[in-house]
Amino acid sequence: MSMSSKNENKISVEQRISTDIGQAYQLQGLGSNLRSIRSKTGAGEVNYIDAAKSVNDNQLLAEIGYKQELKRQFSTLQVFGIAFSIMGLLPSIASVMGGGLGGGPATLVWGWFVAAFFILLVGITMAEHASSIPTAGGLYYWTYYYAPEGYKEIISFIIGCSNSLALAAGVCSIDYGLAEEIAAAVTLTKDGNFEVTSGKLYGIFAGAVMVMCICTCVASGAIARLQTLSIFANLFIIVLLFIALPIGTKHRMGGFNDGDFIFGKYENLSDWNNGWQFCLAGFMPAVWTIGSFDSCVHQSEEAKDAKKSVPIGIISSIAVCWILGWLIIICLMACINPDIDSVLDSKYGFALAQIIYDSLGKKWAIAFMSLIAFCQFLMGASITTAVSRQVWAFSRDNGLPLSKYIKRVDSKYSVPFFAILAACVGSLILGLLCLIDDAATDALFSLAVAGNNLAWSTPTVFRLTSGRDLFRPGPFYLGKIWSPIVAWTGVAFQLFIIILVMFPSQQHGITKSTMNYACVIGPGIWILAGIYYKVYKKKYYHGPATNLSDDDYTEAVGADVIDTIMSKQEP
């Protein structure tokens, strides 16, 4: 059926949600065939999307259901850069190294290697999703698309909340790590005569969030260039570490630890059994560091040729951080003081600061911690950008309170200023947990891990089950055999990580200060999100809400796509 004549094929629509900025439409009756197809495996009626056949970004975004509002200024390198920047290898390893040494050097070295391999499998599956449906909403949109009919709205709402809160918690964890690094640099300057309190750390944290908010409120082109700066800054301090640390260790300490120490020294510093402690201490550094690769997804509507650049950004950032991070850890373990306890109990508050101090002295340690803090700041600015795009996308679909304000995009700069402000305010509020005690801080960091892994795994489960006949691969796809094998393996690993992150560091003698409250906060948030939807939000949130009229949609996708949908040439 040709769509060349509008009068011959008039489509009726029913307004679903009216807002101050644009309208959301739900196609009804026979007219719904203009955009939709129906699943035969239980996922109901959804938009027809075929990334492999789309000729440009705007056409594909229209098939997904949205008009182009942000400027596409992110190159493939810059899409890679936003994830690589957030992972921030050396700053992140500095923040998590103490926990990773809870099983000795072997746990940190091999735990990183094994966990990062499975994270790469998770990223490969996410890359398939992103290549097929590249949109800033990403996880909750995919969940809605593939979820069983009748459960789409509530499940996608929970995933949207989980992903948004996890990213906000990620801002907290990165900026709190920045506060600790700045405090460590000050402590080094004062030879240990500086008291680090929760209030001081929160003050530094709050200041960092506000500065990052201002930095993120600039044009999209400047944010894209910031990722290029971050790539070179992170690589610079890594190369500097590889050169300076071994030289200093050889000069000041007389030599390096041998291979048996680096790869085979296991020392269980907890009362968990050896196997569980290996997972608990060894996996978490990689899981925490090589996370937020979904930031590439949230930049989909600012990326050039998104169906290719976003998958490349996801996979390459994970792969580079896997290998480069492993080499960094090996280097650190070769240069560390063999007395692990003295490193963990450092008066400077950071195991890495103590390692650099032992090998290079005070001035080098201060310089390194300052450079690491600068790169940590770039990490925070990048994740603030990513979370603001998720918040904006979720508000565009009326998923958050005050959505009609948060989803506004400045017409001059093409920047969602209100979404950036909302993301930063949310991070400041979540960060108040850090004022309670270390247990609350740890729970906040665990929330970022658990919330993201739930959001990453849920659409994959539905894509492989109820929505399996809806998946149309984009340019990146492993094929019918390997794709489900990799996907199910990744889902199993993510389920294991969600459980793992709920456990405390000790098995016995748990008190209110050593309890891991992630087992309460994480599921509690998911349950409360479901209740909130049922009680109130179901009146406003109905899944992805298109902001394209039928005329705009037809013009954007072209007659061939309309003919394909109307003639039911594909299921």
Side-chain angles (χ1 to χ4, degrees), residues 324-541:
L324 201 53
W326 193 54
L327 295 176
I328 291 171
I329 290 171
I330 291 173
C331 178
L332 292 173
M333 293 304 98
C335 300
I336 194 174
N337 185 337
D339 183 5
I340 300 295
D341 288 335
S342 67
V343 176
L344 293 176
D345 295 333
S346 170
K347 63 182 178 180
Y348 305 121
F350 262 86
L352 181 59
Q354 186 65 54
I355 294 172
I356 297 173
Y357 184 90
D358 291 340
S359 296
L360 296 169
K362 176 182 174 180
K363 291 182 179 179
W364 272 97
I366 294 172
F368 257 106
M369 293 310 297
S370 299
L371 288 170
I372 287 172
F374 174 70
C375 289
Q376 187 97 358
F377 175 83
L378 295 177
M379 289 171 61
S382 295
I383 197 172
T384 301
T385 301
V387 66
S388 69
R389 274 38 175 187
Q390 161 62 19
V391 167
W392 167 73
F394 200 33
S395 296
R396 179 176 59 183
D397 294 327
N398 305 293
L400 292 176
L402 304 177
S403 286
K404 68 178 182 178
Y405 302 108
I406 296 174
K407 67 183 175 183
R408 292 179 177 176
V409 177
D410 185 89
S411 58
K412 180 178 180 180
Y413 298 102
S414 298
V415 174
F417 290 119
F418 288 103
I420 296 169
L421 181 61
C424 291
V425 170
S427 298
L428 286 172
I429 294 172
L430 275 178
L432 290 171
L433 288 171
C434 298
L435 290 172
I436 301 175
D437 55 25
D438 290 341
T441 303
D442 292 341
L444 181 61
F445 298 167
S446 297
L447 172 63
V449 173
N452 272 330
N453 276 276
L454 178 74
W456 299 342
S457 60
T458 301
T460 301
V461 170
F462 289 136
R463 194 193 94 185
L464 296 169
T465 53
S466 57
R468 61 187 181 275
D469 66 331
L470 293 175
F471 177 64
R472 287 178 173 78
F476 178 78
Y477 180 52
L478 291 186
K480 293 183 179 180
I481 297 177
W482 282 108
S483 179
I485 293 174
V486 169
W488 280 121
T489 303
V491 167
F493 175 74
Q494 289 173 288
L495 177 60
F496 175 72
I497 292 300
I498 292 172
I499 295 171
L500 181 70
V501 80
M502 303 292 177
F503 276 77
S505 59
Q506 298 290 332
Q507 183 177 3
H508 302 103
I510 297 174
T511 64
K512 65 177 184 179
S513 61
T514 59
M515 172 67 180
N516 186 348
Y517 292 97
C519 63
V520 177
I521 295 177
I525 287 174
W526 303 329
I527 293 171
L528 287 174
I531 295 173
Y532 175 59
Y533 172 81
K534 282 292 188 182
V535 172
Y536 176 76
K537 202 60 179 177
K538 67 179 180 181
K539 294 182 290 185
Y540 304 99
Y541 178 77

Side-chain angles (χ1 to χ4, degrees), residues 154-168:
I154 186 171
I155 297 176
S156 66
F157 179 78
I158 293 172
I159 295 305
C161 291
S162 180
N163 192 211
S164 300
L165 283 170
L167 286 169

Side-chain angles (χ1 to χ4, degrees), residues 79-101:
V79 173
F80 159 83
I82 194 166
F84 184 73
S85 174
I86 294 172
M87 294 174 190
L89 276 175
L90 198 54
S92 294
I93 290 173
S95 298
V96 301
M97 186 178 175
L101 286 171

Side-chain angles (χ1 to χ4, degrees), residues 244-275:
L245 192 64
I247 293 174
T249 302
K250 180 69 174 179
H251 177 70
R252 291 173 62 98
M253 300 177 67
F256 307 102
N257 298 311
D258 59 21
D260 289 339
F261 178 88
I262 298 170
F263 299 104
K265 174 69 172 177
Y266 182 83
E267 184 179 0
N268 191 340
L269 300 181
S270 78
D271 56 359
W272 290 108
N273 64 63
N274 289 339

